[in-house]
Amino acid sequence: MAASENPGRIKLGLERIIRFLESTLPTDPRTNLRVVHVAGTNGKGSVCALISEALHAAGYNTGTYNSPHFLHVNDAVRVNGAPVPAEEYAELRAWINKLDAATPSPDGPLSLFEQATVAALCWFDRNNVDIAVIEVGMGGLRDATNVFGPPEGKSSLGVGRSLVQCICSVDMDHVGMIGNTVEEIALEKVGIIRPGSWIVIARQDHVGAFHKIRQVAHKISPGHIINVRRQPACDLLVGNFSFSLEDSPDSRLRLPDPAPNWSIFNGTGKRCLHVKYPPSLDTYATTGSLSPSPSSSTASSQSAAKAADRKHQNNCHQAQPSECVSVCEPTPASDATDANSRSIEADFPLVLPGSHQTGNACVAFYALDILRTYYGFTKLTDAAIQIGFQNVRWPGRLSWLRIGNADGSGTNSSSTSLSAQNANTPSSRNSSGSGSSRIVDSLDEWILADGAHNEPAAAELRNYINTTLRRLAQQRYINTTTGKRHHFSEMIPVRWIVGFSRGKDVGSILKKLVHPGDTLWAVPFSQPEEMPWVKCEEPDDILACAKRSLSFEKDGDSFECAGFGSLAEVLDKLAESASDSTLNVLCGSLYLVSDLYRELQIQPFDEDSERL
């Protein structure tokens, strides 16, 4: 096979997949499909997970397609959270390959990602999904998922109906393939926007990216743009969040996943998003405010609005403002405003840990509100969204995994199965909850796994770790009754277990993560299935880059470092050198995180299959 026909290459462009969908398949699986399309650099997966869980909680048959897959190629395609059975997925892919080989095209055969995308669309069609939530693979404009038409139906842009497009945070991503500047990359990602559809734009760290996204959105679909302009502050503490299940057809709630008992200060199930939204999204899209500004208001009504604003702020202050965040700047209606134009308020749980998840939840909420307001998804009540946000899980993103026994002793990964310890069972939940008989969980029992693979994600990971370690130090300080008391401001060191794909800016990422006194272990990851273009950096190269890049090393401060041949060796070493004075964190690549789940024999999507 010629190099140009190698399906294992990354091949951007829509000619091959559109030809296959329209001319090769017996029927086009997009015909009756309604889609929420999600692009961006960081946050895409979390936004897809939040939207999908809320739709499922509301009773809709919901398809989800993520890229890349997590453990196996079939888990990228899910219906109501359950992956395609492996055997059926293999049969589907074999059928697609056979059809592709039997109908040669001047554009060449489908790439592996195009085959996977066709398989996802066919699976959604077979299962008669009500809606599909689809994550862009790379970029957007020329990505294989960009094959859907506008909400009004078939057009030259594609088949099916792309109802909402979410543009998450855009950063330097796949440089050289989809652009060389953040503006060029943003232009590629907004290529999924369709005329007449609704666009939800996440807060952007790069001004140039934001202006490019807004410019294109206003040109293609004016008046249908929701801009989440304000990123709420986060890691909020909410003691007792509760909500009614009466309005939801699916009231089965998940309990929090296992986690160290000191992490609850900063994570699962203890925070909420306070949302204030208008009865009509037209109001916000046209004015940028949550309530309409009066066209002819008197000075007294303006004063009343200002007084109401001050009263609202005072009430929030008295009610501890750190317990709630608003999606956008509130603009209270005056007493003279009609009651129907007043904003609506609701609280939604934030289960996914990390300060960045409030922004992702804002994007997801607006996408859901658009679906129920304009596209007939009337079962998406606030109660259903609350249940969906409570039930959401997104493995490998700030995930706490147990690597030691409950008594604090280490476990040899090569000889002992840890799947039961990480299973979402009542016993494992109780070991990490407030009802545990142990005062403070031991650090050597846990490892924090996160797929952070670029600078913004690394910065968020470090912020999360700093907050967690401060809480842990405070808890230890309070509970120490004998011996020397270390002040809770003393930061606990981190043991970083890292692996990176080739082409990543390893030095810049490590600068965000590693502090003086930390330890750095470098390790390769296994070759991802159906992704031959992905190669891992050699551990020695990572360590050499770290020594060149970390400035405190030049200033005399040092850090310990070591290279390993496999992740199994790392886990064995952790078992041998268990320490309650160091936090273990594995990051740098989602492929490395996936290897950790395999080593620990954790199947994160099994519970979703059992819920059906």
Side-chain angles (χ1 to χ4, degrees), residues 363-391:
V363 173
F365 169 77
Y366 272 127
L368 293 164
D369 199 34
I370 289 166
L371 290 176
R372 67 184 178 182
T373 303
Y374 291 100
Y375 297 117
F377 288 81
T378 55
K379 293 187 290 184
L380 269 173
T381 61
D382 282 352
I385 298 175
Q386 287 170 333
I387 291 171
F389 279 26
Q390 176 65 38
N391 284 347

mmCIF file of all heavy atoms in Angstrom, residues 363-391:
data_model
loop_
_atom_site.group_PDB
_atom_site.id
_atom_site.type_symbol
_atom_site.label_atom_id
_atom_site.label_comp_id
_atom_site.label_asym_id
_atom_site.label_seq_id
_atom_site.Cartn_x
_atom_site.Cartn_y
_atom_site.Cartn_z
ATOM 1 N N VAL A 363 -20.666 25.782 30.261
ATOM 2 C CA VAL A 363 -20.852 25.483 28.837
ATOM 3 C C VAL A 363 -21.894 24.386 28.664
ATOM 4 O O VAL A 363 -22.810 24.498 27.833
ATOM 5 C CB VAL A 363 -19.509 25.067 28.199
ATOM 6 C CG1 VAL A 363 -19.725 24.593 26.762
ATOM 7 C CG2 VAL A 363 -18.522 26.225 28.233
ATOM 8 N N ALA A 364 -21.785 23.332 29.462
ATOM 9 C CA ALA A 364 -22.732 22.220 29.360
ATOM 10 C C ALA A 364 -24.145 22.675 29.694
ATOM 11 O O ALA A 364 -25.103 22.300 29.009
ATOM 12 C CB ALA A 364 -22.301 21.087 30.295
ATOM 13 N N PHE A 365 -24.289 23.484 30.747
ATOM 14 C CA PHE A 365 -25.629 23.934 31.131
ATOM 15 C C PHE A 365 -26.279 24.738 30.016
ATOM 16 O O PHE A 365 -27.451 24.541 29.685
ATOM 17 C CB PHE A 365 -25.578 24.780 32.408
ATOM 18 C CG PHE A 365 -26.882 25.480 32.675
ATOM 19 C CD1 PHE A 365 -27.959 24.767 33.203
ATOM 20 C CD2 PHE A 365 -27.058 26.808 32.338
ATOM 21 C CE1 PHE A 365 -29.185 25.396 33.407
ATOM 22 C CE2 PHE A 365 -28.278 27.434 32.541
ATOM 23 C CZ PHE A 365 -29.348 26.726 33.080
ATOM 24 N N TYR A 366 -25.541 25.675 29.423
ATOM 25 C CA TYR A 366 -26.139 26.486 28.366
ATOM 26 C C TYR A 366 -26.522 25.627 27.162
ATOM 27 O O TYR A 366 -27.558 25.845 26.530
ATOM 28 C CB TYR A 366 -25.178 27.600 27.945
ATOM 29 C CG TYR A 366 -25.333 28.856 28.770
ATOM 30 C CD1 TYR A 366 -24.247 29.442 29.391
ATOM 31 C CD2 TYR A 366 -26.576 29.456 28.923
ATOM 32 C CE1 TYR A 366 -24.386 30.589 30.153
ATOM 33 C CE2 TYR A 366 -26.727 30.595 29.674
ATOM 34 C CZ TYR A 366 -25.628 31.164 30.290
ATOM 35 O OH TYR A 366 -25.778 32.303 31.037
ATOM 36 N N ALA A 367 -25.687 24.637 26.815
ATOM 37 C CA ALA A 367 -26.045 23.747 25.707
ATOM 38 C C ALA A 367 -27.343 23.005 26.007
ATOM 39 O O ALA A 367 -28.217 22.873 25.138
ATOM 40 C CB ALA A 367 -24.906 22.759 25.452
ATOM 41 N N LEU A 368 -27.491 22.534 27.240
ATOM 42 C CA LEU A 368 -28.714 21.833 27.638
ATOM 43 C C LEU A 368 -29.910 22.769 27.654
ATOM 44 O O LEU A 368 -31.018 22.393 27.239
ATOM 45 C CB LEU A 368 -28.506 21.206 29.021
ATOM 46 C CG LEU A 368 -27.476 20.072 29.078
ATOM 47 C CD1 LEU A 368 -27.065 19.796 30.522
ATOM 48 C CD2 LEU A 368 -28.022 18.807 28.434
ATOM 49 N N ASP A 369 -29.712 23.993 28.123
ATOM 50 C CA ASP A 369 -30.814 24.957 28.164
ATOM 51 C C ASP A 369 -31.282 25.307 26.758
ATOM 52 O O ASP A 369 -32.480 25.503 26.506
ATOM 53 C CB ASP A 369 -30.364 26.208 28.909
ATOM 54 C CG ASP A 369 -31.539 27.044 29.401
ATOM 55 O OD1 ASP A 369 -32.578 26.445 29.755
ATOM 56 O OD2 ASP A 369 -31.427 28.282 29.438
ATOM 57 N N ILE A 370 -30.343 25.378 25.814
ATOM 58 C CA ILE A 370 -30.712 25.620 24.415
ATOM 59 C C ILE A 370 -31.533 24.460 23.877
ATOM 60 O O ILE A 370 -32.548 24.660 23.187
ATOM 61 C CB ILE A 370 -29.440 25.829 23.578
ATOM 62 C CG1 ILE A 370 -28.784 27.166 23.918
ATOM 63 C CG2 ILE A 370 -29.753 25.751 22.087
ATOM 64 C CD1 ILE A 370 -27.374 27.308 23.389
ATOM 65 N N LEU A 371 -31.132 23.231 24.187
ATOM 66 C CA LEU A 371 -31.861 22.062 23.677
ATOM 67 C C LEU A 371 -33.305 22.058 24.166
ATOM 68 O O LEU A 371 -34.231 21.772 23.391
ATOM 69 C CB LEU A 371 -31.160 20.779 24.126
ATOM 70 C CG LEU A 371 -29.801 20.473 23.481
ATOM 71 C CD1 LEU A 371 -29.188 19.218 24.109
ATOM 72 C CD2 LEU A 371 -29.941 20.294 21.973
ATOM 73 N N ARG A 372 -33.527 22.382 25.437
ATOM 74 C CA ARG A 372 -34.893 22.326 25.959
ATOM 75 C C ARG A 372 -35.708 23.547 25.548
ATOM 76 O O ARG A 372 -36.930 23.477 25.457
ATOM 77 C CB ARG A 372 -34.874 22.195 27.474
ATOM 78 C CG ARG A 372 -34.334 23.387 28.245
ATOM 79 C CD ARG A 372 -34.284 23.091 29.727
ATOM 80 N NE ARG A 372 -33.737 24.199 30.502
ATOM 81 C CZ ARG A 372 -33.551 24.157 31.812
ATOM 82 N NH1 ARG A 372 -33.863 23.067 32.495
ATOM 83 N NH2 ARG A 372 -33.055 25.197 32.459
ATOM 84 N N THR A 373 -35.045 24.668 25.274
ATOM 85 C CA THR A 373 -35.764 25.893 24.936
ATOM 86 C C THR A 373 -36.146 25.954 23.470
ATOM 87 O O THR A 373 -37.251 26.389 23.122
ATOM 88 C CB THR A 373 -34.907 27.122 25.296
ATOM 89 O OG1 THR A 373 -34.568 27.076 26.690
ATOM 90 C CG2 THR A 373 -35.666 28.415 25.017
ATOM 91 N N TYR A 374 -35.245 25.495 22.596
ATOM 92 C CA TYR A 374 -35.456 25.705 21.165
ATOM 93 C C TYR A 374 -35.641 24.439 20.343
ATOM 94 O O TYR A 374 -36.098 24.502 19.206
ATOM 95 C CB TYR A 374 -34.275 26.498 20.587
ATOM 96 C CG TYR A 374 -34.240 27.915 21.086
ATOM 97 C CD1 TYR A 374 -33.381 28.285 22.110
ATOM 98 C CD2 TYR A 374 -35.098 28.878 20.566
ATOM 99 C CE1 TYR A 374 -33.363 29.583 22.602
ATOM 100 C CE2 TYR A 374 -35.091 30.172 21.040
ATOM 101 C CZ TYR A 374 -34.217 30.522 22.060
ATOM 102 O OH TYR A 374 -34.223 31.795 22.540
ATOM 103 N N TYR A 375 -35.283 23.286 20.899
ATOM 104 C CA TYR A 375 -35.318 22.078 20.080
ATOM 105 C C TYR A 375 -36.199 20.982 20.649
ATOM 106 O O TYR A 375 -36.093 19.830 20.245
ATOM 107 C CB TYR A 375 -33.895 21.557 19.867
ATOM 108 C CG TYR A 375 -33.022 22.527 19.101
ATOM 109 C CD1 TYR A 375 -31.893 23.096 19.694
ATOM 110 C CD2 TYR A 375 -33.331 22.894 17.790
ATOM 111 C CE1 TYR A 375 -31.094 23.993 18.998
ATOM 112 C CE2 TYR A 375 -32.536 23.790 17.094
ATOM 113 C CZ TYR A 375 -31.422 24.335 17.698
ATOM 114 O OH TYR A 375 -30.636 25.221 16.999
ATOM 115 N N GLY A 376 -37.063 21.312 21.589
ATOM 116 C CA GLY A 376 -38.090 20.380 22.032
ATOM 117 C C GLY A 376 -37.659 19.338 23.032
ATOM 118 O O GLY A 376 -38.414 18.381 23.279
ATOM 119 N N PHE A 377 -36.495 19.471 23.645
ATOM 120 C CA PHE A 377 -36.065 18.510 24.661
ATOM 121 C C PHE A 377 -36.646 18.923 26.018
ATOM 122 O O PHE A 377 -35.920 19.297 26.947
ATOM 123 C CB PHE A 377 -34.537 18.439 24.700
ATOM 124 C CG PHE A 377 -33.936 17.745 23.519
ATOM 125 C CD1 PHE A 377 -33.768 18.419 22.315
ATOM 126 C CD2 PHE A 377 -33.549 16.411 23.585
ATOM 127 C CE1 PHE A 377 -33.214 17.784 21.210
ATOM 128 C CE2 PHE A 377 -33.002 15.764 22.490
ATOM 129 C CZ PHE A 377 -32.840 16.449 21.296
ATOM 130 N N THR A 378 -37.958 18.835 26.095
ATOM 131 C CA THR A 378 -38.668 19.394 27.245
ATOM 132 C C THR A 378 -38.483 18.582 28.527
ATOM 133 O O THR A 378 -38.780 19.079 29.616
ATOM 134 C CB THR A 378 -40.169 19.502 26.927
ATOM 135 O OG1 THR A 378 -40.652 18.208 26.513
ATOM 136 C CG2 THR A 378 -40.416 20.501 25.812
ATOM 137 N N LYS A 379 -38.014 17.350 28.407
ATOM 138 C CA LYS A 379 -37.774 16.558 29.619
ATOM 139 C C LYS A 379 -36.497 16.971 30.344
ATOM 140 O O LYS A 379 -36.217 16.486 31.445
ATOM 141 C CB LYS A 379 -37.711 15.066 29.263
ATOM 142 C CG LYS A 379 -39.040 14.497 28.781
ATOM 143 C CD LYS A 379 -38.970 12.985 28.617
ATOM 144 C CE LYS A 379 -38.100 12.582 27.457
ATOM 145 N NZ LYS A 379 -38.105 11.106 27.229
ATOM 146 N N LEU A 380 -35.751 17.898 29.763
ATOM 147 C CA LEU A 380 -34.530 18.388 30.395
ATOM 148 C C LEU A 380 -34.872 19.434 31.454
ATOM 149 O O LEU A 380 -34.563 20.622 31.317
ATOM 150 C CB LEU A 380 -33.590 18.992 29.342
ATOM 151 C CG LEU A 380 -32.578 18.066 28.693
ATOM 152 C CD1 LEU A 380 -31.853 18.784 27.563
ATOM 153 C CD2 LEU A 380 -31.578 17.554 29.717
ATOM 154 N N THR A 381 -35.526 19.004 32.500
ATOM 155 C CA THR A 381 -35.839 19.903 33.602
ATOM 156 C C THR A 381 -34.580 20.185 34.416
ATOM 157 O O THR A 381 -33.558 19.500 34.286
ATOM 158 C CB THR A 381 -36.886 19.271 34.520
ATOM 159 O OG1 THR A 381 -36.348 18.045 35.056
ATOM 160 C CG2 THR A 381 -38.170 18.958 33.750
ATOM 161 N N ASP A 382 -34.670 21.187 35.290
ATOM 162 C CA ASP A 382 -33.544 21.453 36.178
ATOM 163 C C ASP A 382 -33.218 20.230 37.029
ATOM 164 O O ASP A 382 -32.049 19.932 37.298
ATOM 165 C CB ASP A 382 -33.848 22.649 37.089
ATOM 166 C CG ASP A 382 -33.696 23.977 36.368
ATOM 167 O OD1 ASP A 382 -33.216 23.983 35.221
ATOM 168 O OD2 ASP A 382 -34.061 25.018 36.956
ATOM 169 N N ALA A 383 -34.251 19.505 37.444
ATOM 170 C CA ALA A 383 -34.023 18.307 38.261
ATOM 171 C C ALA A 383 -33.250 17.252 37.485
ATOM 172 O O ALA A 383 -32.350 16.596 38.021
ATOM 173 C CB ALA A 383 -35.363 17.737 38.739
ATOM 174 N N ALA A 384 -33.573 17.072 36.200
ATOM 175 C CA ALA A 384 -32.851 16.096 35.384
ATOM 176 C C ALA A 384 -31.396 16.509 35.205
ATOM 177 O O ALA A 384 -30.481 15.676 35.261
ATOM 178 C CB ALA A 384 -33.533 15.945 34.023
ATOM 179 N N ILE A 385 -31.163 17.807 34.984
ATOM 180 C CA ILE A 385 -29.780 18.286 34.835
ATOM 181 C C ILE A 385 -29.023 18.100 36.143
ATOM 182 O O ILE A 385 -27.845 17.713 36.146
ATOM 183 C CB ILE A 385 -29.773 19.764 34.390
ATOM 184 C CG1 ILE A 385 -30.443 19.909 33.022
ATOM 185 C CG2 ILE A 385 -28.341 20.290 34.330
ATOM 186 C CD1 ILE A 385 -30.598 21.344 32.557
ATOM 187 N N GLN A 386 -29.686 18.340 37.265
ATOM 188 C CA GLN A 386 -29.040 18.134 38.561
ATOM 189 C C GLN A 386 -28.599 16.683 38.730
ATOM 190 O O GLN A 386 -27.482 16.394 39.171
ATOM 191 C CB GLN A 386 -29.997 18.535 39.677
ATOM 192 C CG GLN A 386 -30.192 20.037 39.828
ATOM 193 C CD GLN A 386 -31.316 20.384 40.779
ATOM 194 O OE1 GLN A 386 -32.258 19.610 40.956
ATOM 195 N NE2 GLN A 386 -31.227 21.547 41.398
ATOM 196 N N ILE A 387 -29.481 15.759 38.369
ATOM 197 C CA ILE A 387 -29.143 14.339 38.496
ATOM 198 C C ILE A 387 -27.999 13.979 37.549
ATOM 199 O O ILE A 387 -27.063 13.254 37.915
ATOM 200 C CB ILE A 387 -30.389 13.476 38.213
ATOM 201 C CG1 ILE A 387 -31.409 13.657 39.338
ATOM 202 C CG2 ILE A 387 -30.012 12.000 38.084
ATOM 203 C CD1 ILE A 387 -32.749 13.036 39.047
ATOM 204 N N GLY A 388 -28.053 14.487 36.322
ATOM 205 C CA GLY A 388 -26.980 14.220 35.376
ATOM 206 C C GLY A 388 -25.642 14.747 35.854
ATOM 207 O O GLY A 388 -24.621 14.058 35.776
ATOM 208 N N PHE A 389 -25.637 15.960 36.382
ATOM 209 C CA PHE A 389 -24.393 16.543 36.884
ATOM 210 C C PHE A 389 -23.890 15.781 38.117
ATOM 211 O O PHE A 389 -22.689 15.733 38.359
ATOM 212 C CB PHE A 389 -24.598 18.017 37.222
ATOM 213 C CG PHE A 389 -24.526 18.936 36.023
ATOM 214 C CD1 PHE A 389 -24.816 18.472 34.750
ATOM 215 C CD2 PHE A 389 -24.186 20.264 36.172
ATOM 216 C CE1 PHE A 389 -24.754 19.307 33.645
ATOM 217 C CE2 PHE A 389 -24.122 21.122 35.082
ATOM 218 C CZ PHE A 389 -24.406 20.651 33.814
ATOM 219 N N GLN A 390 -24.808 15.223 38.903
ATOM 220 C CA GLN A 390 -24.388 14.433 40.059
ATOM 221 C C GLN A 390 -23.807 13.080 39.625
ATOM 222 O O GLN A 390 -22.858 12.578 40.222
ATOM 223 C CB GLN A 390 -25.572 14.190 40.995
ATOM 224 C CG GLN A 390 -25.284 13.289 42.184
ATOM 225 C CD GLN A 390 -24.269 13.890 43.148
ATOM 226 O OE1 GLN A 390 -24.285 15.095 43.386
ATOM 227 N NE2 GLN A 390 -23.397 13.071 43.688
ATOM 228 N N ASN A 391 -24.355 12.505 38.573
ATOM 229 C CA ASN A 391 -23.956 11.163 38.146
ATOM 230 C C ASN A 391 -22.721 11.145 37.245
ATOM 231 O O ASN A 391 -22.179 10.076 36.980
ATOM 232 C CB ASN A 391 -25.105 10.489 37.398
ATOM 233 C CG ASN A 391 -26.186 9.991 38.334
ATOM 234 O OD1 ASN A 391 -25.991 9.924 39.543
ATOM 235 N ND2 ASN A 391 -27.343 9.655 37.784
#
